[in-house]
Amino acid sequence: MRDIFSDLYNKVLSFFVSQGPHDETKGVAMNRLKTVLMQDRVGFSERAMQMLKEELVATISKYMEIDEEKFDLEINAAENSTVLNLAIPVTRAKTDEEIDEAIKEQAIKTQAKAQEIVEELEELIKERAAVLAGVSEEVRQEENEEEQQKDGQDNSAENEEIKDENNKVQNGKKSKVKEN
């Protein structure tokens, strides 16, 4: 089985091997091919690799300054195991104060994200409850419009009552003025 993968790798690699000034492009293509083959063997997607890399960078960056461009993450599959290899170029270690500040910033970001998720979940729960209650979105909108119209009519009636009272007050003042 290993020979099949090795042969396939060598055949595909031969398409990318060239003689000339394209060594950098060749290296990038070879790395991509290795990544694709490794992902196939391990069953780890490109998206999962990117997410893992981002989380590792975020976590390590709390404690050390690193060169993210040279950060290298590899997963290799052996016969009965999988090996995660990391190459993390460290620029410098952070001070305790810098670490504390980074942890506080992360906590604030986590709190904000949690609040965002809670709000999304509340909206989903409301929508799901409406569906389960047999109330469609259209019915809810119609009810809201009816309430707004009713409120508008109530406001109109209240406005009329206020106008009538104002007229009565003004008429009363006019009659008092005439009496005097």
Side-chain angles (χ1 to χ4, degrees):
M1 184 72 161
R2 192 169 225 192
D3 292 331
I4 293 171
F5 281 118
S6 180
D7 289 342
L8 176 64
Y9 174 78
N10 289 330
K11 284 181 183 179
V12 174
L13 185 61
S14 68
F15 290 113
F16 297 102
V17 175
S18 65
Q19 303 291 333
H22 301 292
D23 289 338
E24 185 175 317
T25 305
K26 179 178 92 174
V28 169
M30 286 177 50
N31 284 338
R32 286 183 183 163
L33 181 60
K34 286 178 183 177
T35 301
V36 168
L37 290 173
M38 176 266 311
Q39 289 169 352
D40 284 344
R41 287 185 211 155
V42 176
F44 210 61
S45 72
E46 179 67 31
R47 180 176 175 261
M49 286 282 286
Q50 187 61 34
M51 290 171 60
L52 176 61
K53 181 178 178 179
E54 288 171 5
E55 286 186 40
L56 286 169
V57 166
T59 301
I60 294 168
S61 293
K62 282 190 253 181
Y63 304 97
M64 300 174 194
E65 283 185 12
I66 61 173
D67 184 354
E68 291 181 36
E69 291 179 13
K70 294 180 182 177
F71 185 98
D72 188 32
L73 169 69
E74 276 186 26
I75 298 178
N76 297 316
E79 288 183 22
N80 294 329
S81 65
T82 303
V83 178
L84 175 67
N85 293 317
L86 293 173
I88 307 167
V90 176
T91 306
R92 73 173 184 88
K94 291 187 176 181
T95 65
D96 288 343
E97 293 81 21
E98 290 173 318
I99 293 170
D100 291 341
E101 185 63 32
I103 291 171
K104 286 178 187 176
E105 287 176 14
Q106 185 64 36
I108 291 169
K109 287 179 184 178
T110 301
Q111 181 73 21
K113 185 65 175 176
Q115 182 62 35
E116 193 177 298
I117 291 170
V118 165
E119 290 170 1
E120 288 176 13
L121 287 174
E122 286 174 345
E123 185 61 34
L124 288 172
I125 289 169
K126 287 177 186 176
E127 289 173 9
R128 185 67 179 150
V131 169
L132 291 174
V135 179
S136 68
E137 183 64 30
E138 293 173 359
V139 172
R140 285 190 357 194
Q141 286 179 349
E142 289 174 9
E143 289 174 354
N144 286 339
E145 288 172 5
E146 288 174 6
E147 285 180 32
Q148 289 174 353
Q149 288 175 354
K150 184 180 176 184
D151 289 343
Q153 291 171 353
D154 290 345
N155 288 341
S156 296
E158 288 176 19
N159 289 340
E160 289 298 322
E161 289 175 16
I162 291 171
K163 285 180 184 178
D164 289 342
E165 288 179 28
N166 285 340
N167 287 338
K168 288 178 185 177
V169 169
Q170 286 188 355
N171 288 339
K173 286 181 182 178
K174 286 180 184 177
S175 61
K176 284 184 180 180
V177 169
K178 287 181 183 177
E179 290 174 7
N180 290 333

